[in-house]
Amino acid sequence: MRTDVWQHLHRDLTPGVQRDQETFAAPLGKRQLLLPIRALSDGARGVASLIVNQASFEVLDALADCLADRLKPYDPDIVVAVPTLGLALGEAVARRLDHARMVPLGTSRKFWYDDTLSVPLTSITSPTDGKRLYADPRMLPLLKGARVALVDDVVSTGSSMVAALHLMTLIGVSPAVIGAAMLQGEAWRDKLGAIPVEGAFRTPILRHNGDSWEAP
């Protein structure tokens, strides 16, 4: 089990699949972030994986710095963070935007929640989890009329973000921008409509040719 991924920012790696066939170097500005390759259930495809809450503080800081810079031109009033891995990133980005707080969405139903403010939640790594995404009714006054930046750790198939957008629609909010540490592949594009999407970096969906992983 490798413990060196997500921990350092490198300057000497060639972006792409590494010789070990276990890792992918993603470009982050002039530096590179080493990510593990995870095979998807079909065995023919794989992804460069990012688990933000397992990353070093150095890496989290770099991702938040980059994403905050990309979101600033949209002048968001508040960050809404998608659980669970988007919460740490959302907080870090909100601080860099000089916000006093953020609004976290949740997957745990509190007794004062309203079920009409919840939607089913799936993702590429948890396709059949049976979770629901909730908005705390007490947070709604912070969102009404605000320019919202909707933040998650990774946008891949777009399923998690579609759920978050559906929840925003129930609240009566149309986000000004979507932000993520990593934009993975291209499948998300057709699902997210005309809302601008910004990422700290991008990675492709990998293909396995029988001997090695390859980027398209």
Side-chain angles (χ1 to χ4, degrees):
M1 184 71 67
R2 298 188 63 148
T3 59
D4 59 326
V5 293
W6 310 310
Q7 302 307 307
H8 306 289
L9 294 168
H10 302 265
R11 294 185 180 274
D12 58 350
L13 298 179
T14 299
V17 178
Q18 302 300 286
R19 293 180 63 183
D20 60 16
Q21 290 295 310
E22 296 179 357
T23 54
F24 184 96
L28 184 62
K30 295 181 178 180
R31 297 173 292 182
Q32 304 86 41
L33 179 59
L34 193 65
L35 305 172
I37 295 173
R38 308 293 192 202
L40 298 180
S41 58
D42 60 15
R45 298 177 301 150
V47 294
S49 175
L50 174 66
I51 307 297
V52 169
N53 65 359
Q54 294 179 7
S56 68
F57 298 140
E58 173 195 14
V59 168
L60 178 59
D61 285 344
L63 294 173
D65 287 344
C66 183
L67 186 56
D69 285 344
R70 293 184 182 276
L71 297 183
K72 280 179 183 176
Y74 299 91
D75 196 25
D77 299 312
I78 197 159
V79 169
V80 174
V82 181
T84 54
L85 298 181
L87 298 180
L89 180 65
E91 177 181 346
V93 168
R95 289 177 182 272
R96 284 158 175 79
L97 293 173
D98 294 324
H99 293 177
R101 65 188 301 174
M102 70 165 189
V103 171
L105 302 179
T107 55
S108 175
R109 190 192 187 287
K110 309 304 181 186
F111 70 83
W112 65 86
Y113 281 14
D114 183 344
D115 284 336
T116 64
L117 293 177
S118 72
V119 295
L121 178 63
T122 62
S123 70
I124 190 171
T125 52
S126 303
T128 58
D129 232 340
K131 290 182 179 178
R132 294 189 70 81
L133 185 64
Y134 295 91
D136 187 331
R138 299 182 183 185
M139 297 289 101
L140 299 192
L142 300 174
L143 303 179
K144 297 296 185 181
R147 289 181 59 81
V148 168
L150 193 56
V151 171
D152 202 356
D153 63 325
V154 177
V155 173
S156 184
T157 62
S159 297
S160 295
M161 194 55 71
V162 166
L165 287 173
H166 184 194
L167 186 55
M168 292 295 99
T169 298
L170 294 178
I171 295 170
V173 170
S174 179
V177 64
I178 291 168
M182 177 169 67
L183 302 181
Q184 191 177 70
E186 302 291 334
W188 52 269
R189 289 189 179 277
D190 292 337
K191 295 181 180 180
L192 302 186
I195 300 174
V197 179
E198 299 287 348
F201 67 93
R202 298 172 182 266
T203 59
I205 301 297
L206 304 175
R207 293 283 179 177
H208 201 269
N209 66 10
D211 297 313
S212 61
W213 292 105
E214 296 179 345

